[in-house]
Amino acid sequence: MSLSKAYKNVLILFTLLLCSTLQAQLSNLARLEYSFIPKKNSEDTYSRFRGFFNIPIEISEDDYLVFGAEYNNVAIDLEDHYPFNRSLINQVHIIDATIGYTFKHNEKWRFGAKVTPRIASTLKSKITGSDFFINGGVYAINDKTKDETAKKPNRLIIGLTYNSTSGLPFPLPFVSYFRKLNSHWAYTLGVPKANIEYYFNEKNVLQSFISLDGYYAHVQDKITVNNQVVENVSLRVIVLGLGYEYYFTKHFAFYMYSGYTLDQKNILRNKDKDKVFTLDDVNTLYLRTGLKYKI
């Protein structure tokens, strides 16, 4: 595999990590979300409805099995002229089923692992093996966010993740670091999201962020473009923006993020994941809102 192709595949993998970020799996028990990206100087739009839940089951003291499910419905509304049948990719479905296990190793470290079978497809016909993917990872968590003796509460997550759609036959590293500076300020460094948060009070939180969003899925009805057969469709966006969260209770919140895409690639790909046709690469507005329940 060439270095340029490996680099492209790493970017695809980081995009897919957003669909199931570890921090969301750790703290969010349920979420309903709607995203919208209009195409600049065009009537084309991209929108996504997302819902998921996680159910932790304690099997012994500080040891948990976690069962989860997630559904993403991606609507690709193409109004411009394209050299193919637009209805063949007007909707993408992503269905995940997750099983995880986490245990407390000692007072400092907790370890965990998860496996996530996935269906990601246009689902225009019968499901085949090409619609199935497998994701997973192993993690170590050092969480001092609730340590009253810590001068500045923090959380470090390190691990290895594997995604069958990346084209890379080996795990890649994952790192995320959260630190609360005082009662008002906190920050998170990592991929797929980094942010700076300002807490007005317990109910109102403002943040600036940079994050990755997107999807990757199989195209069931084959499309021929530029004398090549399209078998996959993907979207990758890098977003810079502002977000607001309002907590109705300690665990239940409404959130709204708005921003602008710094880089956007909506691409039709062949079976080797190489680019066949670019649907959109013009930067534009990005909107996301929803409800979440977290521990």
Side-chain angles (χ1 to χ4, degrees):
M1 181 183 293
S2 68
L3 289 176
S4 61
K5 187 173 181 180
Y7 174 73
K8 292 176 184 177
N9 289 333
V10 170
L11 289 178
I12 295 171
L13 176 62
F14 282 155
T15 299
L16 293 165
L17 283 173
L18 187 69
C19 296
S20 180
T21 65
L22 181 61
Q23 285 177 283
Q25 296 292 334
L26 285 173
S27 60
N28 291 343
L29 294 184
R31 184 191 293 252
L32 289 174
E33 178 179 277
Y34 177 77
S35 304
F36 180 72
I37 303 176
K39 183 177 178 181
K40 193 174 182 179
N41 302 322
S42 169
E43 294 185 3
D44 288 2
T45 60
Y46 152 80
S47 61
R48 181 186 69 195
F49 170 79
R50 177 191 182 204
F52 76 76
F53 67 86
N54 292 305
I55 302 175
I57 299 174
E58 187 173 18
I59 57 176
S60 62
E61 186 177 0
D62 290 323
D63 290 8
Y64 294 87
L65 279 174
V66 181
F67 297 94
E70 178 173 333
Y71 174 66
N72 287 262
N73 184 296
V74 180
I76 309 170
D77 187 6
L78 302 177
E79 298 294 337
D80 292 348
H81 175 72
Y82 291 93
F84 55 84
N85 186 349
R86 296 166 295 176
S87 66
L88 298 180
I89 57 166
N90 63 352
Q91 199 167 55
V92 168
H93 305 269
I94 302 171
I95 306 167
D96 286 345
T98 299
I99 181 169
Y101 174 66
T102 177
F103 65 96
K104 190 174 182 180
H105 177 64
N106 54 39
E107 293 302 316
K108 292 184 177 181
W109 290 95
R110 172 177 288 276
F111 295 100
K114 66 175 182 178
V115 176
T116 305
R118 166 176 293 176
I119 296 173
S121 172
T122 51
L123 292 185
K124 297 291 186 180
S125 56
K126 184 179 178 180
I127 294 175
T128 68
S130 298
D131 300 312
F132 284 92
F133 305 93
I134 190 74
N135 306 329
V138 292
Y139 309 95
I141 306 115
N142 187 330
D143 191 349
K144 297 180 181 178
T145 55
K146 297 179 181 179
D147 186 353
E148 296 180 357
T149 64
K151 199 170 183 180
K152 295 182 179 179
N154 60 86
R155 177 178 57 240
L156 173 66
I157 305 171
I158 56 176
L160 293 173
T161 61
Y162 174 78
N163 194 300
S164 59
T165 61
S166 69
L168 300 175
F170 51 83
L172 289 176
F174 178 97
V175 179
S176 179
Y177 180 71
F178 167 83
R179 188 177 185 91
K180 193 163 186 178
L181 301 176
N182 52 46
S183 59
H184 290 291
W185 291 97
Y187 67 86
T188 299
L189 298 175
V191 173
K193 183 176 180 179
N195 64 16
I196 299 174
E197 296 176 302
Y198 181 78
Y199 296 77
F200 291 97
N201 48 48
E202 292 183 354
K203 289 184 174 293
N204 297 276
V205 182
L206 184 68
Q207 66 172 267
S208 61
F209 68 90
I210 183 168
S211 69
L212 286 163
D213 199 355
Y215 64 86
Y216 185 97
H218 177 238
V219 177
Q220 287 189 326
D221 295 330
K222 299 301 177 281
I223 302 169
T224 301
V225 184
N226 299 330
N227 296 319
Q228 295 189 66
V229 178
V230 172
E231 294 202 15
N232 303 284
V233 57
S234 69
L235 171 70
R236 185 192 81 240
V237 293
I238 301 175
V239 183
L240 178 67
L242 294 174
Y244 170 73
E245 297 182 356
Y246 177 79
Y247 284 83
F248 301 103
T249 69
K250 183 178 180 181
H251 303 288
F252 183 50
F254 162 82
Y255 60 91
M256 179 173 59
Y257 302 134
S258 63
Y260 195 80
T261 61
L262 302 179
D263 183 61
Q264 179 169 300
K265 293 291 186 295
N266 201 353
I267 295 174
L268 302 179
R269 300 179 181 274
N270 61 22
K271 64 179 181 180
D272 297 319
K273 304 179 179 65
D274 294 327
K275 180 175 71 173
V276 174
F277 187 85
T278 300
L279 295 174
D280 191 16
D281 59 2
V282 179
N283 292 322
T284 185
L285 296 175
Y286 172 95
L287 303 170
R288 182 154 57 100
T289 187
L291 299 168
K292 63 182 178 180
Y293 185 83
K294 60 186 294 184
I295 55 177

